[in-house]
């Protein structure tokens, strides 16, 4: 079974299991896995991993399928270890950068907000996958387009710290894809042309 499908399935099953818990216990589990400012300030660094495996509610089917597709293609193109490493690195990096920005300025509600889910890792892998596109205009347009789409929520009123986190995670992934470009030359699988 592909790693992405196993991961998404496990997260979905976990969300359904959480939904069956007593509300107070469910809240305790979610807060214990959250990478919010209060948890990180008190040294709960394990949440950098645990938060990627927990969601507040089951993922909507279109998002879950997109997650499986992106992780599945990344696994096909670069391997399971690469995919897992990019996912976790992007998730942790974006979390820490957002934490650094919020640490001194966040209000009490933001400091305690639930911050769990798959989206930072997803965005990092999506950004990193741009290196699988043909070089030149297609790859550059894809990178610019993805960044423009991710920047939209950050520029609007009512934005949240997670909107910034999605943009940061995508930027981390695109940064990794540029590194892949530099290190690997043209020896990689492409999305287009067989």
């Amino acid at each position: 079974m592909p790693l992405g499908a196993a991961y998404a399935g496990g997260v979905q099953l976990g969300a359904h299991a959480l939904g069956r818990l007593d509300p107070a216990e469910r809240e305790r589990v979610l807060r214990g896995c959250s990478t919010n400012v209060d948890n990180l300030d008190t040294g709960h660094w394990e949440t950098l991993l645990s938060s990627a495996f927990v969601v507040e509610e089951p993922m909507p089917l279109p998002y879950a399928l997109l997650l499986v597709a992106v992780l599945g293609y990344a696994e096909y193109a670069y391997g399971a270890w690469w995919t897992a490493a990019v996912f976790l690195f992007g998730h942790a990096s974006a979390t820490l950068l957002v934490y650094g920005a919020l640490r001194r300025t966040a209000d009490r509600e933001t400091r305690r907000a639930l911050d769990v889910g798959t989206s930072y890792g997803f965005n990092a892998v999506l950004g990193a996958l741009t290196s699988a596109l043909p070089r030149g205009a297609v790859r550059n347009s894809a990178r610019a387009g993805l960044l423009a789409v991710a920047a939209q929520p950050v520029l609007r009123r009512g934005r949240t710290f997670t909107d910034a986190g999605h943009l940061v995670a995508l930027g981390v992934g695109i940064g990794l894809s540029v590194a892949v470009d530099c290190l690997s030359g043209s020896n990689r699988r492409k999305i287009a042309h067989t």
Side-chain angles (χ1 to χ4, degrees):
M1 172 181 281
L3 181 69
Y7 168 73
V11 168
Q12 285 289 67
L13 288 174
H16 285 290
L18 273 176
R20 294 182 173 275
L21 293 177
D22 170 84
E25 181 65 12
R26 177 182 174 277
E27 182 77 6
R28 188 191 67 73
V29 170
L30 287 170
R31 292 218 171 269
C33 294
S34 176
T35 52
N36 61 35
V37 174
D38 280 354
N39 274 353
L40 293 176
D41 268 354
T42 56
H44 292 285
W45 299 105
E46 72 280 0
T47 61
L48 289 172
L49 181 62
S50 65
S51 62
F53 292 89
V54 177
V55 292
E56 291 180 59
E57 302 289 335
M59 295 178 286
L61 185 59
Y63 176 78
L65 292 174
L66 185 59
L67 176 66
V68 169
V70 167
L71 296 179
Y73 188 79
E75 189 174 348
Y76 165 76
Y78 296 106
W81 288 109
W82 182 92
T83 303
V86 169
F87 186 96
L88 292 173
F89 178 76
H91 174 80
S93 297
T95 298
L96 290 172
L97 288 167
V98 169
Y99 162 69
L102 291 175
R103 188 169 185 219
R104 304 246 186 258
T105 61
D107 59 30
R108 180 171 167 71
E109 183 180 334
T110 302
R111 292 182 64 84
R112 300 189 74 241
L114 285 178
D115 191 14
V116 295
T118 63
S119 59
Y120 287 4
F122 166 80
N123 277 285
V125 173
L126 182 63
L129 268 179
T130 59
S131 64
L133 293 168
R135 284 188 183 270
V138 171
R139 188 177 303 176
N140 294 335
S141 295
R143 288 173 176 160
L146 286 171
L147 287 170
V149 168
Q152 288 292 322
V154 175
L155 299 174
R156 74 169 197 261
R157 286 185 160 189
R159 64 184 171 267
T160 67
F161 68 88
T162 56
D163 294 328
H166 296 147
L167 178 59
V168 169
L170 184 67
V172 167
I174 288 174
L176 290 171
S177 78
V178 170
V180 167
D181 290 353
C182 294
L183 294 173
S184 66
S186 61
N187 295 329
R188 75 185 131 281
R189 296 179 188 180
K190 304 279 189 227
I191 290 176
H193 304 114
T194 54

